Amino acid sequence: MANDKPYQLPLPRARGRAAEFYAFCKNHELRFQRCSDCGAWRHVPRDMCAKCGSLKWEWARSSGRGKLFSWTTATQPMMPQFAESVPYSPAIVELEEGVRMVTWIVGLKPEELQLDMPVKVVFDDVTPEVTLPKFERA
Ligand SMILES: [Zn+2]
């Protein structure tokens, strides 16, 4: 979310296919690879389909809707940059397309999180170059 202070938290290493993923995020589009042969979605980005072995795929747009699959709550900052963020809850969201991703849930306190809670993507422009996909209650 917009903030007056410079962004202090670690940024993703956007190289290769991951750079393509984050370039879509910068356009506020959540896209994952979808196999052109069997239709399986996948994340994190990789060249081969784990289901059928195909090397043919496309970047397909996700609905951005899913559910809270799992989370943990950090009460101690593991890095000094997180001191102002605790307590926070790194989460795994399962999208409607079946892929799961590690992310942040925004707008809710850790004690408000519920298993299978419906969520939808929101895009956080954390720096002029980097946009992170996060999720809020749907
Ligand atoms: Zn496949």
Side-chain angles (χ1 to χ4, degrees):
M1 303 301 137
N3 196 322
D4 294 337
K5 286 195 294 186
Y7 189 74
Q8 300 288 334
L9 303 182
L11 293 167
R13 280 191 209 165
R15 292 186 297 225
R17 299 281 181 229
E20 296 174 36
F21 173 82
Y22 284 106
F24 288 121
C25 290
K26 189 165 168 47
N27 290 334
H28 291 196
E29 292 179 16
L30 188 62
R31 288 182 184 263
F32 299 106
Q33 289 173 292
R34 184 174 59 199
C35 177
S36 300
D37 283 320
C38 78
W41 295 69
R42 62 183 187 258
H43 185 71
V44 295
R46 51 194 177 272
D47 286 332
M48 184 182 287
C49 176
K51 208 168 184 181
C52 77
S54 174
L55 295 170
K56 290 187 283 181
W57 56 273
E58 61 179 339
W59 285 110
R61 191 155 187 180
S62 165
S63 70
R65 292 189 300 270
K67 61 184 181 180
L68 182 56
F69 179 79
S70 186
W71 72 92
T72 188
T73 299
T75 55
Q76 298 293 322
M78 298 302 285
M79 299 171 69
Q81 301 98 303
F82 286 87
E84 292 177 23
S85 302
V86 291
Y88 67 96
S89 300
I92 298 174
V93 162
E94 184 175 283
L95 279 300
E96 286 180 338
E97 295 83 9
V99 299
R100 294 176 186 155
M101 63 181 292
V102 177
T103 184
W104 290 67
I105 305 295
V106 297
L108 293 170
K109 295 179 181 136
E111 62 269 25
E112 295 175 310
L113 300 177
Q114 292 181 324
L115 196 63
D116 292 334
M117 170 186 286
V119 294
K120 64 180 183 194
V121 71
V122 290
F123 292 96
D124 190 353
D125 301 312
V126 296
T127 72
E129 298 80 26
V130 178
T131 298
L132 298 178
K134 301 182 178 181
F135 287 81
E136 64 183 13
R137 180 158 37 194

